Amino acid sequence: AGFKKTMAFQPRVIKQNRGSSGEGIWIIKLKSGNYCKNYGDRSCTDDEVLELMEACDNHAETHTVGEFLEFCVNGRNAKSGKWDTIGTGKYLEGGKEAGGQLVDQRFCPRIVEGELRMNMIGDTCTGIIHKKPKAGGISAVGGTGSIYTFYAPDAPEFKQLTTTFLGQDIPSLMSNLELEGEPLPLWWTADFIN
């Protein structure tokens, strides 16, 4: 009921927990636009039609809720319908231990303005990239025609954001995730969208 409930409320981004090329990252909207006013007022039915765009190449597909869920769990088969993606689905394969997870998040429409990525080594920002999708696209994944602008880690235009993120937000995130005292990943990124 999780995805069906969130999808009935507002456009979504569903991301598989593997890779960084945009394959298996879907921007999803209800074709009917029939979103409920309050979260939980309704859930989608299996036959409701979705408009999907995959981040790896900004291609569009149309499928029912049932077909999308079947593709996510079991991949290509008669029940999931015909897919144009290069991916095979089966995003939950292998379970959590093998990285078989999906993230369901709210779609941020201002992504068309781009996202800011901080490249991190431990708790040190090593560079900042502004990634802007090509005109008409939503994804800023490399190879999709997006425009990348590179900045030094101490770029003055991002000083307040960098200072707050490093000094306040990271400790707060670690605490909220009950990871206080644990090391940060050696190499990781933090993305910011207005």
Side-chain angles (χ1 to χ4, degrees):
F3 172 73
K4 290 180 178 182
K5 190 182 286 187
T6 60
M7 191 68 243
F9 180 54
Q10 57 188 204
R12 311 303 300 166
V13 177
I14 302 294
K15 299 180 176 187
Q16 71 162 321
N17 191 38
R18 299 181 177 112
S20 61
S21 66
E23 186 267 315
I25 299 176
W26 296 97
I27 296 98
I28 310 174
K29 297 178 180 179
L30 288 175
K31 185 171 186 174
S32 68
N34 181 28
Y35 298 102
C36 58
K37 183 177 179 180
N38 301 299
Y39 176 75
D41 281 354
R42 75 176 196 91
S43 290
C44 288
T45 59
D46 281 345
D47 62 349
E48 286 188 71
V49 179
L50 304 174
E51 293 179 339
L52 303 102
M53 180 180 283
E54 193 172 21
C56 65
D57 58 8
N58 286 319
H59 85 276
E61 301 208 23
T62 302
H63 292 279
T64 66
V65 170
E67 289 171 336
F68 177 70
L69 292 175
E70 179 68 18
F71 181 75
C72 289
V73 176
N74 296 312
R76 296 173 189 270
N77 60 39
K79 193 174 174 186
S80 68
K82 182 189 177 302
W83 287 78
D84 295 324
T85 177
I86 59 171
T88 58
K90 298 183 184 181
Y91 303 133
L92 304 176
E93 193 170 62
K96 187 176 179 180
E97 300 77 24
Q101 297 175 297
L102 286 169
V103 173
D104 176 355
Q105 66 186 54
R106 179 178 65 91
F107 172 69
C108 299
R110 290 185 65 186
I111 189 66
V112 296
E113 299 169 20
E115 64 184 272
L116 203 62
R117 171 167 285 176
M118 287 189 189
N119 292 317
M120 303 289 296
I121 295 179
D123 62 358
T124 303
C125 179
T126 61
I128 300 171
I129 307 169
H130 181 249
K131 300 167 33 172
K132 187 174 186 334
K134 75 174 181 182
I138 293 176
S139 173
V141 171
T144 60
S146 51
I147 300 166
Y148 283 35
T149 306
F150 296 86
Y151 297 89
D154 59 353
E157 52 267 73
F158 306 117
K159 182 176 176 33
Q160 182 175 350
L161 176 66
T162 304
T163 301
T164 302
F165 180 65
L166 298 176
Q168 297 173 23
D169 297 339
I170 291 175
S172 177
L173 286 168
M174 295 298 281
S175 175
N176 289 331
L177 295 170
E178 298 178 358
L179 294 172
E180 287 177 294
E182 294 291 325
L184 289 165
L186 176 62
W187 181 24
W188 60 288
T189 62
D191 294 341
F192 301 84
I193 302 170
N194 277 331

